[in-house]
Amino acid sequence: NSLMISVELVCVLMYFSMGHMAGLPMPDFIHSYPAVNGIIQAVLSLAVLIINRRFFKNGAKGVINKAPNMDTLVAMGSGVSFLWSVYTLIMMLMSENPDTAKQLLHSLYFESAAMIVTLITVGKLLEAKSKGKTTDALKALMKLRPETATVIRDGEEVRLEITKVKKGDIFVVRPGESIPVDGIVLE
């Protein structure tokens, strides 16, 4: 399941990007070589973005068709975060001063890029489940609707399909029966 893989990768990415702030133990090479941490974050983030590439495909289609949509916004937010982080990582790698590289490490937003697409995917999954439940409930309600109605025509009760009941018809509802159509109570 791509969502589970995305969540797992984002958890590892969060460890490398913010684990030190939470007091989690970090490998020594992370402290000594901040650019290595940046490269690890870039690889993890890129993997999540590739898994969730449908946002970028659908977002690009929206722009091309001059009808941007939610996927366009997700792709823009995630893409800009990723591209900024790539630029910052390149600056870290080019820097000869280790202190500058450590400072630039705080300007990486790879975790944001990956988190955006992952959280939106979780939201879409929850929305789909909710819609599915609503659809099931509506189908159950539709099954409760009676198929026929008893209509008085020419002074006699006639059983008709609901689709054949016309405006102005008088219909009869016996005790325990469902009301087949909207109407006004006459007696």
Side-chain angles (χ1 to χ4, degrees):
N1 183 329
S2 61
L3 176 59
M4 289 309 298
I5 295 169
S6 292
V7 169
E8 291 168 0
L9 289 172
V10 165
C11 287
V12 175
L13 178 57
M14 294 302 288
Y15 169 77
F16 280 103
S17 66
M18 298 188 175
H20 64 283
M21 288 188 255
L24 297 175
M26 300 294 279
D28 289 334
F29 70 89
I30 295 296
H31 297 294
S32 304
Y33 304 102
V36 171
N37 188 347
I39 291 169
I40 292 169
Q41 290 183 45
V43 169
L44 291 168
S45 179
L46 184 61
V48 172
L49 296 182
I50 289 171
I51 290 169
N52 294 286
R53 63 188 170 273
R54 70 185 171 283
F55 288 110
F56 296 93
K57 287 181 180 179
N58 294 338
K61 285 179 187 175
V63 170
I64 290 168
N65 295 330
K66 296 180 183 175
N69 54 27
M70 180 69 168
D71 289 345
T72 307
L73 291 173
V74 171
M76 285 175 55
S78 191
V80 168
S81 294
F82 185 81
L83 291 175
W84 171 260
S85 298
V86 168
Y87 168 77
T88 304
L89 180 59
I90 291 169
M91 298 307 291
M92 287 173 69
L93 292 168
M94 291 175 53
S95 173
E96 294 178 15
N97 184 346
D99 291 333
T100 302
K102 284 182 182 178
Q103 287 176 338
L104 287 172
L105 185 62
H106 299 292
S107 297
L108 295 178
Y109 296 101
F110 287 119
E111 81 284 350
S112 297
M115 188 67 79
I116 289 169
V117 293
T118 302
L119 288 178
I120 297 297
T121 302
V122 169
K124 285 187 174 198
L125 175 72
L126 294 174
E127 180 184 18
K129 283 188 177 191
S130 176
K131 281 182 181 178
K133 288 179 182 177
T134 302
T135 301
D136 292 344
L138 288 173
K139 285 179 182 176
L141 280 174
M142 292 299 288
K143 287 180 182 177
L144 294 175
R145 187 183 77 166
E147 300 291 323
T148 59
T150 304
V151 178
I152 298 177
R153 295 248 170 107
D154 299 323
E156 292 184 27
E157 291 184 11
V158 181
R159 200 110 176 119
L160 299 173
E161 289 181 30
I162 290 179
T163 56
K164 295 189 179 173
V165 175
K166 296 182 230 164
K167 186 175 182 178
D169 278 345
I170 297 174
F171 61 91
V172 179
V173 180
R174 303 262 180 249
E177 289 183 339
S178 296
I179 300 173
V181 293
D182 289 340
I184 300 171
V185 177
L186 297 177
E187 62 177 280

